[in-house]
Amino acid sequence: MGGLYRGASYSQCVALDPSRTVAELKELRELTADENGAQRVAWTETWEQARAWLREKVAPTGATHEIDEAGNQWFTLPGASERALLIGGHMDSVPNGGWLDGCLDVLAGVEVLRRVAEEGTPPLTVRLVDWADEEGARFGRSLFGSSAASGSMADQDEIRRRTDANGVRWPDALAEHGVDLDRALGAGRRLEGAAAYLELHIEQGPVLESLDLPLGVVLGTFGVERHLVTWHGQAAHSGSTPMEQRRDALAGAAKLALEIRQIAAEVGDGAVCTSGGVVCKPGIVTSVVETAEQLLDQRHLDAAKLARLLELAREASERFAREERIEVEWEPLWRIDPIPFDETLIALADEAIREVAGASHRLPSGPLHDAAEVARAGIPTVMLFVQSLRGLSHTKVEDTKEEHVEFSVQALDRLTTKALEAFA
Ligand SMILES: [Zn+2]
């Protein structure tokens, strides 16, 4: 049966049924949502209920079930090789969440597992992973399970101190669900021997809808530079200070807030810059602004271009400080490098999407995903995005056309076949 993977006609011989995925997503919604939306918050009873339901769904494929040291749920179909192709998603949701975020990825993966199992022994072992606590909704830290597996989790002391809104300590909640924080990094063993990682997700943004395309390939996740830019001028009376004698801190912030549009356009290739807030002191109508604290967020998929965004903004700020006879200082708040996905898999994903939907589009991801953690661990990774209606997610009105959900299952299936060939 292994020869089927080298043929182009598997779809005629086995039953991939994408409409079953739509039906199962609705079944899950019945089981774990209320009138306000999905309630599958990680480390709760409803989440455990969703995971038990998932286990029942996968059981007929013969895939074995395990929970790792970080609470991630793994389903394994042994292949001719122990090297594994991983397909991932997350069953947890935010409170009052939608019917697709995270669980579409997992349930599409279940449908692919069924098809692969029906065909016989695949050339690589195929593993479906339901990452624990992608959303971080209860304790305010995202990507728990995948960051433990990738080894990037380095904030165990902080995790130990975190509590939920009711004062429950995070380690206690973990223990209730069989996870010992001190052993969580042991989940990394599950990534040993991983050949590639695939993840399907709703876009959660407006790009594919604006292009009228159902599906796109994700190039990677944005790098981010976040700074506090503080401008220092001189407080002076609004009535008695002539215009040309003012040293107005807000003037510097205002100029920079507009200049970042030019900077983003100049650097291009999807660059985005946001001045997300300015706090003025003394902040009264009768005084020129003495201090303006400005928040700046800059993002790019390319590390050199991200650095260029920052450099241009700094240069502009110094120019504006001279023009306004004020001072400016920069303080880093947070940064992360861009995480590019795998070139080979991006090309295969493009092919898979074109076969299913006729046209593809390449786009970066603004939000981080479990896939970013897997890519950081050095495993070739790619994501597929399916169009989100109105770009909305993390709300019960999150939606995708059912036809597009079905396309996405087909695209993940085609990509799986291509990846099994390419990485075998
Ligand atoms: Zn998600």
Side-chain angles (χ1 to χ4, degrees), residues 116-194:
V116 171
E118 199 173 321
E119 281 193 355
T121 304
L124 297 175
T125 294
V126 179
R127 312 187 75 196
L128 176 65
V129 53
D130 159 28
W131 298 111
D133 200 359
E134 190 273 350
E135 299 285 4
R138 184 169 165 196
F139 293 97
R141 182 210 187 271
S142 305
L143 308 175
F144 179 90
S146 56
S147 67
S150 76
S152 80
M153 181 188 277
D155 54 346
Q156 282 85 344
D157 289 343
E158 205 201 317
I159 289 172
R160 230 167 250 122
R161 286 193 298 270
R162 281 185 186 250
T163 55
D164 72 3
N166 297 317
V168 176
R169 293 171 61 245
W170 199 355
D172 295 341
L174 291 171
E176 269 179 44
H177 296 270
V179 172
D180 173 356
L181 184 58
D182 293 327
R183 297 180 57 239
L185 287 176
R189 278 206 317 276
R190 312 286 161 151
L191 294 183
E192 286 166 12

Side-chain angles (χ1 to χ4, degrees), residues 90 92 101-102 105 134-135 199 201-202 204 369-370 394:
H90 60 96
D92 74 306
D101 185 350
D105 336 354
E134 190 273 350
E135 299 285 4
E199 185 174 323
H201 206 278
I202 53 169
Q204 304 175 283
H369 288 282
D370 293 310
H394 288 192

Side-chain angles (χ1 to χ4, degrees), residues 328-391:
V328 63
E329 60 179 333
W330 286 65
E331 182 190 330
L333 295 177
W334 184 75
R335 72 174 309 283
I336 187 168
D337 286 323
I339 302 170
F341 290 158
D342 181 71
E343 289 291 340
T344 303
L345 284 170
I346 289 170
L348 295 178
D350 243 345
E351 256 177 51
I353 289 174
R354 279 198 302 272
E355 286 169 19
V356 169
S360 180
H361 179 71
R362 296 180 174 203
L363 71 170
S365 173
L368 282 171
H369 288 282
D370 293 310
E373 287 292 345
V374 180
R376 279 167 91 164
I379 294 160
T381 292
V382 76
M383 291 184 76
L384 303 176
F385 272 170
V386 61
Q387 188 191 108
S388 289
L389 292 172
R390 294 163 292 161

